[in-house]
Amino acid sequence: SYARVRYESVYPGVDLVYYGNQRQLEYDFVVAPGADPGAIKLAFEGARSIERDASGNLILRTAGGDLRMHKPVVYQEVGGVKRLIPGRYVVASKQQVGFHVAAYDRSKPLVIDPVLVYSTFLGGSGNDFGFRIAVDSAGNAYVTGGTDSTNFPGPGGIAAPKLGSSAKGAGGDVFVTKLNPAGTALVYSTYLGGSGNDGGIGIAVDSAGNAYVTGTTNSADFPTTLGAFDVTFNGVQDVFVTKLNPAGSALVYSTYLGGSGFERPNGIAVDSAGNAYVMGRTTSTISTNPLLNFPTTAGAFQTIAPGGDAFNPQDVFVTKLNPAGSALVYSTFLGGNRNDEGVGMAVDSAGNAYVTGFTTSTNFPTTAGAFAGTLGGPQDAFVTKLDAAGSDLVYSTYLGGSGGSLGIGIAVDSAGNAYVTGQAFSNFPTTASAFQATQPTCTPLPPPLSFLSCSVDAFVAKIDPSQSGI
């Protein structure tokens, strides 16, 4: 309900401030000018012993395993810039800890930020890769990716089970793993796949702890559920969308999603009602035979594929599945006369979907009053907001310079501002007083890439809700 909560004078001249950071609860001690940070003491009930490792991290030994507190971050703000101050934990007893802080300017406030962290390997004896991660309100981490390990770990050190099959497939499989908030144990871990190659690409989690996973499959026997939207493999490579129950022990639903060509999802999101939004790219765009096309719905924004490059037709798809996974709320193409791909997606509280990616189309759909209505380079990023019904664009714009750009990630705040990041070459639009308004100097690329004029840089752009500017 609150962005920050401040407890004043928990020690003389020391306030305690709680706040949210990436859906995690964090806290800082704020020491007023002239106050003594040595007055702060932390007691850890249930700790059998407390140690400080060689890196200065705090290790709490408990009956349930070890908890780790990262070496505290201690700083002062001087002229709007954080100035780090050396600091460390001081172990006073087996259950009590204080802080030691090096010399600092006692005329200014001091902030001490303890952080609970962990870092762990996750894998078996084969090749394993993690692709996406989601976190629930309790701090459990949900990870998905791909593995060819036959002994990918499950809870208690035994090999993970496989949902929908008695054994791991011959190709790579999806894995879905839930780690507890301390990172000390697996709540669950499972394989997911058929006899072919399967890989997890996106994951989201709802307020009840159900995990929504999407990825690619060429398995004709990928596990599906009775009543799911599509239980039959459609083409060369399909999307799958699977909802796992909070225990990770059963499929709430699981469905194919695709046409006769190649599909790849690049993102998944879930709203408060349990609708799943999936976005990516499709080559199933043979408009003369809609039965072979990627499935779209009546009344959606773009029900017929716009065409695309004759040699490599590729369009964005955006699909919303109902909470039961039994039907499409909407499904639409999004693209122009050349290649388009959706790479990042977010959903706001009203059910509007925000999509970013890249396009080489000169007629990618844009809206009146958009920031940029024409392609600026050989390839531009795009930012598109679809309404909750998927029937119209709230706004859509190109975003790029003469050298090309690519949108990769997108987030949205409660006011409807969209935040986009990605890669840009030359002449990317920036704003006055921005952190880095001019591209850093670098060595131009050799022909035939000299038109790019420079190497790639990251960009960050904030787009207002009206989409009239950045």
Side-chain angles (χ1 to χ4, degrees):
S1 298
Y2 298 92
R4 304 177 81 83
V5 176
R6 178 184 291 264
Y7 290 90
E8 295 183 341
S9 300
V10 291
Y11 305 97
V14 179
D15 295 349
L16 176 60
V17 180
Y18 285 95
Y19 57 95
N21 183 13
Q22 299 296 315
R23 300 184 69 186
Q24 299 298 299
L25 182 66
E26 292 195 16
Y27 65 95
D28 295 348
F29 292 103
V30 181
V31 182
D36 180 14
I40 301 170
K41 295 291 187 293
L42 303 179
F44 296 94
E45 183 178 351
R48 292 177 172 177
S49 65
I50 300 175
E51 304 169 14
R52 196 178 71 235
D53 67 17
S55 299
N57 304 313
L58 203 65
I59 303 174
L60 312 177
R61 308 289 187 189
T62 77
D66 293 346
L67 295 178
R68 292 179 179 268
M69 301 281 289
H70 195 278
K71 179 182 177 181
V73 177
V74 184
Y75 65 90
Q76 291 183 294
E77 288 203 10
V78 180
V81 178
K82 287 183 179 180
R83 177 175 172 265
L84 295 178
I85 308 295
R88 59 182 170 84
Y89 292 110
V90 176
V91 180
S93 70
K94 72 175 186 177
Q95 287 186 319
Q96 197 174 87
V97 173
F99 297 96
H100 176 270
V101 180
Y104 67 95
D105 185 351
R106 291 184 175 269
S107 68
K108 294 181 173 61
L110 179 78
V111 178
I112 301 175
D113 181 8
V115 183
L116 177 66
V117 297
Y118 65 80
S119 181
T120 181
F121 288 104
L122 180 63
S125 57
N127 296 304
D128 317 285
F129 66 91
F131 214 94
R132 290 287 189 272
I133 188 168
V135 181
D136 65 21
S137 58
N140 298 290
Y142 301 71
V143 186
T144 192
T147 178
D148 61 16
S149 296
T150 57
N151 60 343
F152 194 88
I158 62 173
K162 183 172 183 179
L163 292 177
S165 176
S166 59
K168 184 185 177 303
D173 271 354
V174 181
F175 74 83
V176 186
T177 299
K178 179 180 177 180
L179 291 96
N180 69 1
T184 56
L186 304 183
V187 180
Y188 68 72
S189 190
T190 184
Y191 292 103
L192 181 64
S195 56
N197 286 310
D198 317 287
I201 294 176
I203 190 166
V205 60
D206 65 20
S207 59
N210 299 291
Y212 299 71
V213 185
T214 190
T216 59
T217 179
N218 62 15
S219 297
D221 56 350
F222 190 90
T224 56
T225 52
L226 184 67
F229 165 68
D230 186 356
V231 298
T232 305
F233 182 63
N234 297 284
V236 183
Q237 177 176 284
D238 274 5
V239 173
F240 70 84
V241 184
T242 300
K243 178 180 177 181
L244 283 79
N245 69 357
S249 58
L251 306 179
V252 180
Y253 68 74
S254 188
T255 182
Y256 289 103
L257 179 65
S260 59
F262 284 88
E263 276 79 40
R264 175 187 169 90
N266 284 325
I268 187 168
V270 60
D271 64 22
S272 59
N275 298 291
Y277 302 71
V278 188
M279 170 278 311
R281 72 171 186 249
T282 177
T283 65
S284 301
T285 56
I286 310 170
S287 58
T288 56
N289 189 347
L291 294 177
L292 300 178
N293 281 357
F294 189 89
T296 58
T297 53
F301 169 68
Q302 206 171 40
T303 58
I304 298 175
D309 192 316
F311 299 100
N312 183 28
Q314 176 178 293
D315 286 310
V316 181
F317 72 84
V318 184
T319 300
K320 178 178 178 180
L321 278 155
N322 71 357
S326 58
L328 306 182
V329 180
Y330 71 74
S331 188
T332 183
F333 292 109
L334 180 64
N337 58 357
R338 298 194 67 188
N339 284 340
D340 318 283
E341 179 167 355
V343 183
M345 182 177 66
V347 175
D348 66 19
S349 58
N352 300 295
Y354 299 71
V355 183
T356 191
F358 69 87
T359 179
T360 61
S361 297
T362 56
N363 64 341
F364 188 88
T366 58
T367 50
F371 171 71
T374 57
L375 186 71
Q379 171 184 295
D380 272 8
F382 68 84
V383 184
T384 299
K385 178 179 178 181
L386 273 162
D387 66 13
S391 59
D392 201 6
L393 305 182
V394 180
Y395 66 70
S396 187
T397 182
Y398 291 100
L399 183 62
S402 60
S405 58
L406 163 65
I408 296 176
I410 189 167
V412 60
D413 65 20
S414 58
N417 297 291
Y419 301 76
V420 187
T421 189
Q423 299 175 345
F425 290 95
S426 61
N427 301 327
F428 189 86
T430 58
T431 52
S433 303
F435 168 68
Q436 203 170 39
T438 58
Q439 190 173 28
T441 302
C442 57
T443 304
L445 297 173
L449 300 177
S450 55
F451 72 93
L452 297 175
S453 81
C454 202
S455 60
V456 67
D457 286 300
F459 74 82
V460 182
K462 177 180 178 181
I463 301 175
D464 68 33
S466 68
Q467 217 294 291
S468 59
I470 60 173

